[in-house]
Amino acid sequence: MTPELLDGLLNALRDPTINGPRLGAVEFSEATFTGDAGFENATFTSRAWFAGVTFSGVASFARANFSGIAGFRRAIFTGRARFEKATFVDRALFGRVTFSGAAMFGRVTFSGDAEFRRATFIRRAGFERATFANRAFFGEATFASAARFFAVAFDATPQLGPLVCKEGLDLSGAVFSVPVTIEAAAAHLLCRRTRWASTASLRLRYATVDLSHAVVEYPLSVTSHSSPLIDAERGWLDESSLAGRDAGVRMASLSGVDTAHLVLTDIDLAGCRFTGTIHLDRLSLEGRCTFAPAPIGLHRQGWRLIRRTPRRTLAEEHYWRTARGAAGWTPAPDGAESVGPEALAPVYRQLRKSLEDGKNEPDAADFYYGEMEMRRHDHDRPFAERVLLTGYWAISGYGLRASRAMGWLLVAMTVTLLGLMLWGLPRDDPKPESTGRLTGQCITLTASARDPVAPDDPLHDRITTERFDKALRVVINSVAFRSSDQGLTTAGAYTEMASRVTEPVLLGLAVLAIRGRVKR
């Protein structure tokens, strides 16, 4: 079918009232259109059959109206396929179609079932603002480029996929009116301002998901599928176009989402933005959901040398610390906004509560640490509070670093031990003195202890095994908040009182930190 022959046919059927050709039942099966095929504004009043057709040039069905079944199964579109603003009243069959050029289905209305099973899209596929009033079938569809379903209305589609998309699958602004399962292996999944008006399940592979400002009215689960997706008829889907990528699922943003009904399972949250999320304390995290690790080891920050311990952190904390010149943290990507500690503290607090409500106390400890860190660095808070938090951090890592508390405990015990040996223990053990009075045959005796005498010999002579043993007994009793009943000098008495306050507190902080990591 040459362009001239097609034009002659359509001109003979042109209806001036609709500014286009009017056709009844048409049968173009296995035909080859050698040039451009223009069916713009055409009206097909009965069945339109294009099964197995080859379109060598641009195939344009823009604003066409298909009143009967439209069959394009196994058709090959070598050039662009244009269906903008077309209307399919009955079923639209595009199963096993190959679109080598761009496939344009913008603002198309599918009143009946729309079948795209096993369709292959080599270049961009655009379904912007299309309406699927009935079921849409995209099982085993393959998109070698981007697939855009921007602002599409899925009124009665129970399942989208399983499909493979080498680049981005864009569902931004789409509306799902009925319960739906979306199965996709895609490099990116954009669901910005997507609305789920019923329950939904996203079973994904390879994807980086952006749920910014999505509307979640009913339970929505996002799951990383560990094994390749399966089609009920043919088995495993061919995911070779995504080979070399991590098959796990990463969350890019939950900003603006009400997460009260959101469940994430086995999702990488290392790069996820949480600021602006609503009801974050009710977010459900199942399976192995990972967060960005803090840099560990010694790091120089200005003139200070800081030792950092392992903990789970938010991506926004990485961005903020990098902006302040801290080493080892991940910088913000281009265009990403950096928020301060005043905004991150509530995020950490709500995530902590979410894990605590799920009885996951050990993992919640990291978010408590992050919350306290943000409070300590928030300059809008009172200076006295930040000083107190700094001391709490330095002594025990907010009650979560047992090694730090034990280290300070050993330091305090060592200082107390040396103080007692050098100045606290008397020169000699005071011996009691007895005085008496003889009256007739009666003797009255009064015993009194002498005041301890401070040592006056050289310091190095005061360090002996005997004095070490006595001082150690005092220190051990102080840790247990007990008195040693050892005679001490005035300096030793004050040293013991100080140790009886500080050392049990440090021991308690160490026990608290251990408890926080093993609590069920």
Side-chain angles (χ1 to χ4, degrees):
M1 181 73 69
T2 64
E4 294 77 16
L5 182 58
L6 178 61
D7 289 343
L9 173 63
L10 296 181
N11 286 333
L13 300 172
R14 188 168 298 276
D15 185 343
T17 62
I18 62 173
N19 192 29
R22 181 186 298 272
L23 301 90
V26 298
E27 175 70 60
F28 285 99
S29 297
E30 308 299 333
T32 298
F33 292 84
T34 58
D36 295 344
F39 289 88
E40 297 92 343
N41 299 310
T43 297
F44 297 87
T45 60
S46 186
R47 189 183 76 160
W49 212 246
F50 291 85
V53 168
T54 299
F55 295 94
S56 301
V58 175
S60 180
F61 291 85
R63 298 176 300 279
N65 185 291
F66 295 87
S67 298
I69 298 176
F72 289 85
R73 285 176 176 167
R74 300 185 308 279
I76 298 175
F77 292 84
T78 304
R80 287 178 297 166
R82 301 188 56 189
F83 287 85
E84 297 99 324
K85 298 182 181 180
T87 301
F88 294 87
V89 178
D90 206 323
R91 287 180 296 164
L93 307 178
F94 288 88
R96 302 188 186 185
V97 171
T98 299
F99 296 93
S100 297
M104 304 175 184
F105 287 85
R107 299 181 183 271
V108 172
T109 299
F110 296 93
S111 298
D113 290 348
E115 181 195 347
F116 289 86
R117 287 191 181 100
R118 304 180 194 173
T120 301
F121 299 84
I122 305 299
R123 296 188 180 275
R124 184 177 67 89
F127 290 83
E128 297 88 344
R129 303 186 185 279
T131 298
F132 292 92
N134 216 315
R135 296 173 297 175
F137 300 95
F138 283 87
E140 289 191 79
T142 300
F143 298 86
S145 186
R148 285 179 52 84
F149 290 84
F150 177 79
V152 170
F154 294 95
D155 295 337
T157 299
Q159 180 165 346
L160 186 62
L163 57 85
V164 177
C165 184
K166 183 179 179 180
E167 297 181 8
L169 175 60
D170 190 354
L171 297 174
S172 298
V175 178
F176 294 89
S177 302
V178 298
V180 63
T181 298
I182 300 175
E183 295 183 300
H188 302 279
L189 176 61
L190 300 180
C191 296
R192 298 168 182 163
R193 302 186 184 278
T194 303
R195 179 182 176 187
W196 283 277
S198 187
T199 57
S201 176
L202 276 61
R203 303 174 61 209
L204 308 172
R205 285 173 58 78
Y206 299 97
T208 298
V209 184
D210 188 346
L211 289 177
S212 299
H213 303 284
V215 179
V216 183
E217 301 181 18
Y218 292 87
L220 168 66
S221 65
V222 183
T223 305
S224 176
H225 207 264
S226 58
S227 58
L229 299 176
I230 300 177
D231 180 76
E233 297 180 5
R234 299 182 60 186
W236 306 110
L237 263 66
D238 182 9
E239 301 176 354
S240 58
S241 60
L242 296 166
R245 298 177 57 92
D246 180 10
V249 176
R250 294 152 297 281
M251 187 65 66
S253 176
L254 289 174
S255 180
V257 180
D258 187 341
T259 59
H261 301 294
L262 183 61
V263 181
L264 304 180
T265 304
D266 297 331
I267 304 299
D268 183 356
L269 300 170
C272 182
R273 296 183 62 87
F274 286 95
T275 51
T277 305
I278 305 170
H279 292 146
L280 189 56
D281 57 324
R282 296 166 65 181
L283 172 66
S284 297
L285 300 177
E286 306 291 341
R288 187 173 182 271
C289 292
T290 58
F291 289 83
I296 61 176
L298 294 175
H299 297 270
R300 184 176 298 278
Q301 184 170 343
W303 56 271
R304 294 176 298 170
L305 194 62
I306 299 178
R307 177 180 175 270
R308 296 194 177 97
T309 53
R311 65 181 176 96
R312 298 171 181 85
T313 60
L314 300 181
E316 287 109 324
E317 181 179 350
H318 280 253
Y319 306 157
W320 171 74
R321 290 188 181 273
T322 302
R324 297 175 67 241
W329 300 84
T330 303
D334 294 337
E337 180 183 0
S338 178
V339 296
E342 68 283 352
L344 292 178
V347 176
Y348 272 116
R349 180 163 54 252
Q350 293 183 67
L351 281 173
R352 172 179 60 85
K353 185 178 182 299
S354 172
L355 292 178
E356 289 175 346
D357 291 345
K359 306 302 180 183
N360 189 355
E361 298 284 353
D363 288 342
D366 282 345
F367 297 113
Y368 172 72
Y369 192 103
E371 176 191 351
M372 300 299 282
E373 277 285 276
M374 296 301 101
R375 289 175 57 190
R376 181 168 69 93
H377 289 287
D378 183 3
H379 291 281
D380 292 336
R381 292 186 175 273
F383 178 75
E385 178 183 344
R386 290 190 285 118
V387 171
L388 180 62
L389 290 174
T390 300
Y392 193 22
W393 163 76
I395 291 174
S396 64
Y398 310 113
L400 295 173
R401 299 295 184 260
S403 60
R404 193 176 303 179
M406 290 299 295
W408 281 111
L409 176 60
L410 292 176
V411 170
M413 293 175 66
T414 301
V415 171
T416 303
L417 184 67
L418 290 175
L420 292 174
M421 291 177 63
L422 297 176
W423 299 284
L425 294 175
R427 182 176 56 190
D428 298 307
D429 288 338
K431 297 179 181 179
E433 292 183 344
S434 298
T435 58
R437 184 175 60 183
L438 178 61
T439 305
Q441 294 183 349
C442 295
I443 299 176
T444 302
L445 298 177
T446 302
S448 61
R450 292 184 298 176
D451 292 334
V453 179
D456 55 3
D457 47 340
L459 293 179
H460 61 82
D461 290 338
R462 303 177 194 178
I463 303 177
T464 64
T465 304
E466 181 182 358
R467 293 176 66 84
F468 175 82
D469 180 67
K470 292 179 180 179
L472 183 61
R473 293 173 183 271
V474 174
V475 171
I476 293 176
N477 279 285
S478 297
V479 173
F481 209 71
R482 296 172 51 194
S483 176
S484 63
D485 296 327
Q486 170 71 45
L488 301 173
T489 65
T490 302
Y494 282 108
T495 301
E496 182 188 31
M497 283 189 291
S499 66
R500 288 178 61 186
V501 174
T502 58
E503 292 169 8
V505 171
L506 292 172
L507 179 61
L509 290 174
V511 174
L512 178 65
I514 295 174
R515 173 61 174 162
R517 290 299 181 182
V518 300
K519 185 178 180 181
R520 296 182 56 189

